[in-house]
Amino acid sequence: MNFYKRTVSDYVFSILNGILMIFLAVITLYPFLYVLFASLSDPVEFMTYKGILLRPLSITWESYKSVLNNPNILTGYRNTLFIVVVGTAINVVLTSMGAYFLSRKGPLLKKPIMLLILLTMFINGGMIPNYLLVQQMGMYNSLWSLIWPGAISTYNMVIMRTAFQSIPDSLEESARIDGANDWVILFKLILPLSLPTMAVIGLYYAVGHWNSWFKANLYLADRKLFPLQLILRNIVVNSEVDDMTVGIGTGQSYAMSFTIKYATVIVATVPILLVYPFIQKYFVKGVMIGSLKE
């Protein structure tokens, strides 16, 4: 039984804490709601509206129709999905293999190798050497230039290495007695037991691929290869909306260019947000298991 009796100060703290959490939730959620409401608003009304936007102004779907009818958006989705799916698979497999090697007790020179790997977190060749490397390897103007150069994140590999170290050695010893080799141990024993950490690391990589545009801006010249975020950047920053406002009057076209930008942000953001509910249950457990320790 719980014999603790709550005092007035406890109730005051709970109320103030609740108010603070609601306030933080509102200021965190409002920017997204503002973009959503703006994308659904009538372009002319929105352009002349001033102040806090708490609802759409005369709901219209014209901005979304213009965005979804833009072939560049569909091409960007196709390229981004390829990068996210293929890139994340390569990232997780290679990171798992590296983490497995670093988590075992037997390999020679493991500590010097680990030190060299950690140095890559602090020492980088820079933009120009990376650009020349991509060019010399024949990956320039290819989607592979957005996948292979960053195939392994040292930070993610250290997290996964720590998660692998938390698995009892007796399980590996039993598997080896049964004749299992390192490949079997990694893919049939270690990885299934590290599913929460795998899910979190996979989400880190997937979100990184989904939100990346700078590397595409450096390494891609063909617009047909542009990922969604680079197309979004060109629309929002460079105002490349002319092909989405064809046949619209000059005044209406100018007003619609604003709501089209907000609609493009929603179209580019919502899909990756839908992934979070499926991964959330692994988040706390995965990060805690993979927390840094020695």
Side-chain angles (χ1 to χ4, degrees), residues 25-43:
V26 169
I27 63 175
T28 302
L29 186 61
Y30 179 72
F32 181 81
L33 292 177
Y34 181 90
V35 173
L36 177 62
F37 295 155
S39 68
L40 292 170
S41 298
D42 179 80

Side-chain angles (χ1 to χ4, degrees), residues 143-217:
L143 292 179
W144 295 111
S145 65
L146 310 180
I147 297 175
W148 285 115
I152 297 179
S153 164
T154 302
Y155 178 79
N156 291 339
M157 187 167 63
V158 170
I159 292 178
M160 192 171 288
R161 162 185 171 264
T162 308
F164 289 175
Q165 287 177 330
S166 66
I167 298 175
D169 294 335
S170 57
L171 294 178
E172 179 183 351
E173 294 170 357
S174 299
R176 289 194 182 278
I177 291 174
D178 292 335
N181 56 27
D182 287 308
W183 294 105
V184 174
I185 292 173
L186 173 60
F187 288 102
K188 292 191 176 181
L189 178 65
I190 302 296
L191 293 185
L193 293 175
S194 305
L195 185 59
T197 303
M198 291 270 298
V200 173
I201 296 301
L203 182 61
Y204 285 165
Y205 279 124
V207 172
H209 285 305
W210 186 275
N211 291 330
S212 178
W213 66 269
F214 186 69
K215 288 183 179 180
N217 197 36

Side-chain angles (χ1 to χ4, degrees), residues 109-123:
L109 303 176
K110 187 177 72 172
K111 289 187 176 181
I113 293 174
M114 184 65 187
L115 178 61
L116 292 174
I117 291 174
L118 291 176
L119 284 176
T120 63
M121 297 179 67
F122 308 100
I123 301 174

